[in-house]
């Protein structure tokens, strides 16, 4: 029941992208609330209760409040977006997301004039999230975007993969997807969205500001201090897969480069 | 403890070599056939590295176990050491050949990335130890052999550091390895108070 995929294909659904398999997408995950191993989320995330679910939208909006997930869905147009997904750890996948544009959700709440940033928060439920017993990060997981990044048509809230509801390990019931940024920016299982005037604190940046900047745009020319970002390994190639060169803005340079005009991307990493 | 030691004495050393070597081809086979998940290169690299650290800890435990528990595993220490080196070498080989792939990148990484510099140093420290793990070298080097093989203490600390430095966020596992290695090294320190006391008792 996704429908409407025949609508004018957004630039996002670029031709020639071969999606990874369901198994690859749903068994190799980073979701530290369920453990730091790549297979931990697939093993343990089933404990997360995603029904009912509501998202608090507050801060500089006209209609703040708790929005029921099903009510949000009924207002939104779900479409398919086949995006590259590039992890900061230098691996990548191609994922056929189903979702709606974040701009539509923000407009539903009514963004006020003073808002410049959007802050996001993941659910923090120690009883359902065994990984949060360890202080790997300062829970709850937090992320943020500049308002223009959030309103960009490539930025979506994903609710499905391969026309199926998004599995818990991938961020059920709804998560952010910002395809030109490293994967950790695409925060999962969102319970709160706050429009703010100031740049919000973000989890990995709080944990290690030298390694993880607020922007975290995919950039082959700016290395992570501990490894090169010039190339990546595509998941699914097996034991003898060769590395592929990483693309500027993860291949979405045409669509998003203008957002960062005049900015030194080595400083604003 | 005496009966355990007697039983242990009956186990041939080649059995330890065989048992210790088996995971290497088994993990490689799993990597080829999907048994290590959808990203087998990273998985194989990590599994070999973890086994190397575990064997390193086992090797460091031999002396304290004999001294403080009375358990005698000396007969197997060389096998544990040689296997440790073999897994470090395999870990390095997977990194070079399957992971980084580009020779220019490899050199840049060794110089630029502290966790790789540290890991590489640990490997280089273990190299002479592996080369002298034979009876001829032990006879030939005499006392110097024992001194040389103390390099394993530094290699162990660097190995644990290597793991700690590559972890993202605050993770327990690399800290546990580091703690185990520090504890096993600490058990080797002469306890100054006790030795002073016994010296005094001797001279009295």
């Amino acid at each position: 029941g996704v429908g409407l995929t025949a609508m004018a294909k957004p630039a996002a659904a670029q031709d020639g992208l071969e999606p990874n398999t369901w198994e690859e997408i749903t068994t190799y995950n980073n979701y530290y609330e369920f453990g730091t191993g790549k297979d931990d989320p697939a093993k343990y995330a089933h404990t997360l209760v995603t029904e009912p679910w509501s998202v608090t939208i507050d801060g500089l909006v006209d209609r703040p409040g708790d929005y029921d997930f099903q009510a949000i869905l009924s207002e939104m147009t779900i479409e398919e977006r086949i995006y590259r997904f590039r992890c900061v750890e230098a691996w990548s996948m191609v994922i056929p997301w189903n979702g709606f544009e974040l701009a539509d959700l923000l407009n539903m709440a009514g963004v006020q004039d003073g808002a410049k940033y959007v802050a996001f928060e993941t659910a923090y439920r120690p009883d359902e999230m065994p990984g949060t017993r360890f202080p790997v990060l300062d829970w709850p997981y937090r992320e943020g975007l500049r308002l223009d990044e959030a309103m960009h048509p490539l930025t979506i809230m994903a609710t499905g993969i391969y026309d199926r509801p998004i599995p818990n390990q991938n961020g059920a019931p709804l998560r952010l997807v910002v395809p030109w940024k490293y994967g950790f920016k695409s925060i999962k299982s969102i319970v709160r969205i706050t429009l703010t005037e100031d740049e919000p604190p973000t989890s990995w940046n709080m944990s290690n500001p030298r390694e993880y900047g607020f922007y975290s745009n995919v950039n082959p020319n700016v290395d992570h201090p501990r490894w090169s970002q010039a190339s990546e390994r595509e998941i699914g190639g097996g034991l003898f897969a060769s590395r592929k060169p990483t693309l500027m803005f993860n291949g979405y340079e045409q669509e998003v480069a203008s957002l960062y005009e005049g900015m030194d991307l080595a400083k604003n990493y | 403890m005496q009966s355990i030691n007697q039983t242990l004495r009956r186990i041939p050393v080649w059995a330890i070599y065989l048992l210790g070597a088996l995971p290497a081809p088994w993990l490689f086979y799993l990597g080829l056939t999907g048994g290590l998940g959808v990203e087998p290169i990273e998985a194989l690299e990590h599994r070999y590295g973890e086994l190397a650290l575990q064997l390193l800890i086992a090797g460091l435990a031999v002396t304290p176990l004999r001294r403080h528990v009375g358990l005698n595993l000396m007969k197997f220490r060389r096998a544990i050491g040689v296997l440790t080196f073999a897994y470090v070498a395999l870990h390095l080989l997977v990194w070079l050949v399957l992971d980084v792939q580009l020779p220019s990148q490899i050199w840049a990484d060794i110089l630029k990335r502290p966790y790789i510099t540290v890991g590489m140093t640990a490997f280089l420290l273990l190299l002479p130890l592996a080369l002298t793990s034979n009876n001829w070298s032990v006879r030939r080097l005499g006392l110097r052999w024992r001194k040389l093989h103390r390099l394993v203490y530094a290699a162990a600390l660097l190995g644990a550091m290597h793991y700690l430095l590559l972890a993202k966020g605050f993770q327990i596992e690399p800290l546990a390895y580091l703690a185990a290695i520090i504890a096993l090294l600490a058990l080797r320190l002469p306890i100054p108070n006790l030795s002073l006391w016994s010296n005094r008792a001797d001279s009295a």
Side-chain angles (χ1 to χ4, degrees), chain B residues 26-89:
Chain B
W26 173 242
L27 288 169
F28 192 82
Y29 169 79
L30 285 180
L32 275 178
T33 54
L36 294 182
V38 297
E39 218 295 44
I41 300 173
E42 184 202 38
L44 192 64
E45 189 176 295
H46 288 180
R47 296 289 282 275
Y48 283 160
E50 276 165 24
L51 274 167
L53 276 173
Q54 287 155 10
L55 284 161
L56 202 52
I57 287 170
L60 287 176
V62 171
T63 294
L65 279 176
R66 195 176 57 147
R67 199 175 291 164
H68 301 289
V69 186
L71 183 69
N72 191 350
L73 297 165
M74 281 306 275
K75 183 182 169 185
F76 309 112
R77 193 169 67 168
R78 178 185 293 173
I80 296 170
V82 170
L83 284 165
T84 302
F85 180 77
Y87 280 99
V88 172

